Amino acid sequence: MSTSDVPDVLPVLALRNTVLFPGVVLPITVGRDTSLRLVKDAFSGTRLIGVVAQRKAETENPDTDDLYSYGTVASILKLIKMPDGSRSIVIQGKRRFKINEFVETDPYFKAQVEAVNESTDVDHVEIQARIRSIKELAIQIVNLSPNLPSEAAYAIQNIESPTFLIHFIASNLQIDVSDKQELLETLPLVERADLVMRHLDKELQVLQLSEEIRSRVKT
């Protein structure tokens, strides 16, 4: 998605416990009245929305100050009506953006935004070395995790885009929203890769320790 494709003003959907990354497809249940109105209007129009994480998941009706200033432009791929009257949407992240200012708050948030460009001065040798390490760590985690299908390792191995691999792994990390938000806001790709590796390494250590404890208990 090029910079010119990002509208100057976007309707902003607040998410709890979730950070959307470019390229990643995400199903979301929409329950708030304001969010339902936003989704219906967007789906009948350009289908483009701005998706931003809440700072605190427990905030029921977030104000503008309760949202992070960096988010992801998303396209609504599908809108599904649920039996209880709520809606589920399937969205795909397109590119990162920064909120400059909110221009409307009723009936839902609208903000004046600017696209965040992906860094172009990438040392390909540096990034490829990190991508290889990320894949190795991620595959080890898949093999040690009882809840992850073995097909996930095959999928990870076959992702060719360094940027998408980093975003895909970041989206699936078992870390706090604030940590995922830090990943989203980290602009240099190499630094983003280093952060992902740090979190993967920590997760792998936890899994290895858990496996060791289970083996001891079984013995």
Side-chain angles (χ1 to χ4, degrees), residues 21 96 118-119 121-123 126-128 130-131 134 162 166-167 170 173 179-180 182-199:
F21 289 85
R96 293 173 296 170
E118 192 62 68
S119 177
D121 55 338
V122 178
D123 185 317
E126 287 279 328
I127 198 64
Q128 287 304 322
R130 285 163 170 78
I131 291 303
I134 286 172
I166 290 167
H167 290 163
L173 285 169
D179 291 324
K180 287 190 177 184
E182 182 186 10
L183 281 164
L184 184 72
E185 295 183 16
T186 300
L187 301 185
L189 189 61
V190 169
E191 290 182 21
R192 219 177 312 149
D194 286 342
L195 269 176
V196 166
M197 277 196 295
R198 204 173 306 155
H199 289 299

Side-chain angles (χ1 to χ4, degrees), residues 139-175:
I139 289 169
Q140 287 183 66
I141 288 170
V142 169
N143 292 335
L144 281 171
S145 300
N147 299 324
L148 293 176
S150 57
E151 292 82 6
Y154 180 79
I156 290 166
Q157 189 62 51
N158 284 278
I159 295 175
E160 294 182 358
S161 165
T163 306
F164 177 65
L165 176 70
I166 290 167
H167 290 163
F168 178 76
I169 297 293
S171 180
N172 288 283
L173 285 169
Q174 300 300 307
I175 56 177

Side-chain angles (χ1 to χ4, degrees), residues 8 17 25 44 50 60 73 93 100-101 127 136 144 162 180 199 214:
D8 291 333
N17 297 317
V25 175
S44 62
E60 186 60 38
V73 180
N100 289 329
E101 64 174 330
I127 198 64
E136 289 174 356
L144 281 171
K180 287 190 177 184
H199 289 299
R214 278 197 299 270

Side-chain angles (χ1 to χ4, degrees), residues 52-163:
V52 179
Q54 292 182 199
R55 295 181 183 276
K56 295 180 180 179
E58 63 272 15
T59 304
E60 186 60 38
N61 296 301
D63 199 351
T64 55
D65 293 336
D66 298 315
L67 307 180
Y68 287 103
S69 57
Y70 282 81
T72 302
V73 180
S75 175
I76 303 176
L77 304 180
K78 192 175 290 188
L79 174 60
I80 307 163
K81 185 176 181 179
M82 307 302 287
D84 62 359
S86 66
R87 297 287 195 278
S88 283
I89 57 174
V90 179
I91 58 177
Q92 182 176 32
K94 295 296 182 182
R95 70 174 301 150
R96 293 173 296 170
F97 70 88
K98 180 184 178 183
I99 295 175
N100 289 329
E101 64 174 330
F102 284 92
V103 294
E104 290 183 34
T105 56
D106 187 55
Y108 45 77
F109 295 141
K110 285 186 179 181
Q112 193 271 320
V113 303
E114 63 176 293
V116 175
N117 294 320
E118 192 62 68
S119 177
T120 54
D121 55 338
V122 178
D123 185 317
H124 291 285
V125 175
E126 287 279 328
I127 198 64
Q128 287 304 322
R130 285 163 170 78
I131 291 303
R132 183 176 296 179
S133 296
I134 286 172
K135 285 186 176 183
E136 289 174 356
L137 285 167
I139 289 169
Q140 287 183 66
I141 288 170
V142 169
N143 292 335
L144 281 171
S145 300
N147 299 324
L148 293 176
S150 57
E151 292 82 6
Y154 180 79
I156 290 166
Q157 189 62 51
N158 284 278
I159 295 175
E160 294 182 358
S161 165
T163 306

